[in-house]
Each structure stands twice: as C-alpha cells, then as structure tokens.
Amino acid sequence: MQLFTPDFSSARVLVVGDLMLDRYWHGQTGRISPEAPVPVVHIKDHEGRPGGAGNVALNIVALGGNATLLSLVGKDEAADSLRLQLNEAGVQCEFEEVEGSDTITKLRVMSRNQQLIRLDFEDGFEDYDHAHLLSRFDHCLRDCDAVVFSDYGKGCLDEIRAMISRARAAGKQVLVDPKGTDFSRYTGATLITPNESEFAAVVGWWQDDTELVERAHNLRTACELDALLVTRSERGMALIQSDQELHIPTLAQEVYDVTGAGDTVIGTLAASLAAGETIEDATRLANLAAGIVVAKLGTATLSAEELNRAVLGEAVEETGILSVHALQKQIQTARARGEKVVMTNGCFDILHAGHVQYLEQARSLGDKLIVAVNSDDSVERLKGPERPINPLEQRMAVLSGLGSVDWVVPFGKDSVDDTPAELIKELLPDILVKGGDYKAEDVAGGEAVILNGGEVIILGFLDGCSTTNIVRRIRTTEENQGS
C-alpha cells in the first residue's frame, strides 16, 4: 500500500493532560563531598523543556499541525517558562492556574551524560474543582478535529470519562496515551496506545502473537474502543481493530534514546487522523516517526520534512491504470522527489504510430506522464454510435504497456462532460499537453493548470495517422473484397 505524508496544516488537535517542566542541570564532578558520601557537581549549564502533554503538543506543531494544550499548572515561574517555550513553538496554551499548587517539575542533575539524581516537585491537584477544566474543555472542543489525552496520573485527567464522552458526542476522534492498570476509565475512546509493558500489566503476558491479539480484542471490546495500538519497541506495533489486525515491524535503524517516543507516536497519530488519514495509514506514519526520533538524543520531535523523507524511502512506485485517489498519492510522491508531471488526454481508440510519437514527445517534457482516457460513453458521444472500436479497459491496457506512459486514468464515465477539465483540476499537472490546432487558453483544464503555476503546451500530430483513417481503410478493403 502506498503511503504519503498528509497536509498537516489542516490538522487541529486538542491535547489535554499532565504537563510538566523537565529541567536539566549539567556540570562536572571531580570530588566527593566532605559532608556526605555524594559527588559534588559544579553546575555549568541548565535547560528546561516541556514534558508530558507539552511534548505531545510540540510533536504536533513540529509536523506543521495546529495544537491547543489544556492542562493544570501552578501560578509560578515554571508555568511562565512552559508557556513561553510552547507559545514560541506555535502551541496555543490554555492553562488552568491552580492557586496553592506547584507546576509539576522534574529536575535532573547530569554529569558526563549520566543522571546523578532526579528531584520531583509535585503536590498534585487534589483540591482542584475540575468543573472549571471541563468548562474550558468544552470551549476548546469546538475548534479541533481530534483530542489527545496524555495521562501521567498527576491529576489533570481525573474527569477523563466525562471528557471522552463529550468529545465523542461532538464527533471528535479521541486518542489516549494511558497510565496505570484501570483502562476502564478510557471507555469509549477511539484509540488507546499502551506500550507492551503497560498492556501486559492490564491483561497479563502472552505466549505468542495469537494470544496477544486475543487479549487485545477482549480489552478493546470491554472498553468499547474502536482500536487498540500496542507499541512493542524493537518488535514494532500491533494495531487491533474489530475486523482486522495490523502488525508493523519497527523501522528504527539505530536506537540512541527512547525518551519521548510515545509522545511522538500519539502526536503523529492524532495529526494524521485530523488531516484525514485512515487509522491504518496514520499508524504506519507514526511507526516511521518513532523510528526517526529514537535515533536522536533526548526528548525529541521531528519535522514533516523528516517524515516525508522516511515516507519516500519506503515508497513503492505504482504504474499503470490507477484510480484518481491512488494517482494523487503517486503525484505527491513524484513531486517530493523533484519530478515534473505531464498530462494529456484522448480517446486512443486504435493506437497507431501517431499516438506513439505524440506520447513520446509529451513524456520528454517531464519525468512522469499521465494519460487520461475517455470512457466508452464519452467516445460514442464524440465519435458516433459505432465507436469506440475497442472498449475502455482494452484501450487503457494498451496505453499502460507503452514505455512512455507512467499512469493511465479514465474519465467521463459518470458525467456528460466529455472533457477532462474536472479531472485536471483535481490532479493539477505541471504541464498539460494537447495535440492539434489549439490555443493554450482553449484547452480544457488549461486555465486551472496555468493558475497553479503550470503551463499548457500544444504538440502536432503525425501526418496521415488517425483512427478515423484506419477505420475508413478497413471498411474500404472489406467492401472491395466483398465486391
């Protein structure tokens, strides 16, 4: 199956969950403290990064999507730092500030790339009235296509059951990165994404993939999920739906750091689904994304360009007779490779030397050639009741066998319009070619191509070659033989 990178700019994702500030203090250590048997670290550098739900949102905007982040924070410097970093990255922050609580902060003291100690600052939000958060959730829900719940068990998602119910009632796709062993609280979600250990903690370990799938189906049914995705590290991913299972091998070539890989997976899934991808293709994209970020040090994101390069590396080029949808994917892949797409059209009833020369000339203008072919009904309307001589399937099969032709697509079957104007508007080739005595502005679909930055080129036909002349000669020969 051909995979392609969607237009993430159309994706609107609401991320709700536990936000934290990951702080790192870096320094050298060369002695032991005289006060206690611990190393003394001379701090030289420090940094802070959004973690938890914040990293999910960063992954979405790094792909070019639109992310709104709803979370609980304290009224403190850590919240200000998070807001500044996230806003600069393009995340819309909807923080609910809780009086008397601290923003969750994890401070790691690092020396020579080794973590010496981690200090956690978190009091929880036990006294918070979640009615306020639910009200803000309802407001944010109106402007999104998908919702991600990033659960780290810190208190932000205490009312996740109500949130899932409201999101599904609003027709939104709901994805959950789960925590703990009570997955019933995620009942009704579109998809949950436990890793292998989290999944095993709920259903127990399995002997083989068959047993894994069985237990996944049971959990999916019990929690009324559309799908369940188990991320399996070096074993890839297993997507379990009601009617199928999809096992995807890992694509990671090198693994330096798996920190934040789960955030990348669910962020890519959500952005892809919000951009109109199927859940199967969204999972394949998420698997590619995970393979990229684990090759980076630290909590990382990836760009749409990086993902697109990985997609192109996995792409299998299809040629021949294609549907419009499949052809659009192939065109996108070709353009990503810097290739120029040429398109022409015609009846091509009886293929002759003139056609072959014309198609070779058209192909020479670019890197890929699309030939759109009139349907049988369209040919009859244009040429008369005795045409076509060859039915559409045979005409397309002969064209697809030519070395100059990459893709063949039919048009005119369900329309009284005998021109490919609408098809051309959908495909928008770089060059539109027409044979005969035409002006560029009179070619069907030409205006749309030109407005899109393309061009229209008129080519001549080989003298004496036409299907009409061939048919006329055949009939003359038959009449002479009959007399």
Side-chain angles (χ1 to χ4, degrees), residues 82-145:
L82 283 167
R83 184 181 287 106
L84 177 63
Q85 289 189 61
L86 289 163
N87 282 339
E88 286 181 345
V91 177
Q92 179 179 334
C93 296
E94 295 285 343
F95 291 172
E96 183 75 5
E97 296 182 343
V98 182
E99 194 75 48
S101 292
D102 294 329
T103 299
I104 300 169
T105 303
K106 298 182 183 298
L107 171 59
R108 298 167 177 87
V109 179
M110 311 289 294
S111 181
R112 298 179 182 176
N113 293 322
Q114 295 293 319
Q115 185 177 150
L116 301 182
I117 191 172
R118 192 180 91 178
L119 309 174
D120 288 3
F121 302 85
E122 53 178 279
D123 297 324
F125 302 97
E126 293 85 358
D127 298 329
Y128 174 70
D129 181 3
H130 279 76
H132 297 293
L133 191 67
L134 283 170
S135 177
R136 295 190 73 163
F137 176 77
D138 290 338
H139 175 76
C140 295
L141 196 59
R142 295 195 294 264
D143 298 319
C144 73
D145 306 300

Side-chain angles (χ1 to χ4, degrees), residues 330-381:
Q330 290 295 324
I331 292 171
Q332 184 180 29
T333 300
R335 287 200 172 118
R337 290 174 174 150
E339 295 175 333
K340 186 175 291 186
V341 177
V342 183
M343 182 175 179
T344 191
N345 66 278
C347 299
F348 300 99
D349 194 1
I350 298 178
L351 201 65
H352 51 69
H355 289 140
V356 174
Q357 182 189 70
Y358 168 76
L359 294 172
E360 288 176 347
Q361 287 179 329
R363 178 65 162 74
S364 70
L365 297 172
D367 303 290
K368 299 292 182 184
L369 176 61
I370 305 168
V371 179
V373 187
N374 294 71
S375 68
D376 291 343
D377 291 342
S378 176
V379 176
E380 182 178 346
R381 288 191 294 268

Side-chain angles (χ1 to χ4, degrees), residues 291-306:
I292 296 169
V293 297
V294 296
K296 301 181 179 183
L297 288 173
T299 301
T301 60
L302 79 158
S303 66
E305 182 180 353
E306 288 177 294

Side-chain angles (χ1 to χ4, degrees), residues 378-443:
S378 176
V379 176
E380 182 178 346
R381 288 191 294 268
L382 292 169
K383 304 292 186 179
E386 295 182 347
R387 300 282 295 276
I389 304 298
N390 294 304
L392 176 65
E393 289 74 15
Q394 293 181 18
R395 289 183 282 130
M396 291 196 298
V398 172
L399 284 164
S400 67
L402 295 177
S404 59
V405 177
D406 295 284
W407 302 306
V408 181
V409 61
F411 72 93
K413 183 177 180 181
D414 300 318
S415 171
V416 295
D417 185 2
D418 295 320
T419 75
E422 291 303 316
L423 177 62
I424 290 168
K425 290 178 183 178
E426 287 188 69
L427 301 179
L428 290 174
D430 301 298
I431 299 175
L432 179 62
V433 176
K434 190 66 180 174
D437 186 18
Y438 284 91
K439 292 182 179 179
E441 59 268 24
D442 295 331
V443 175

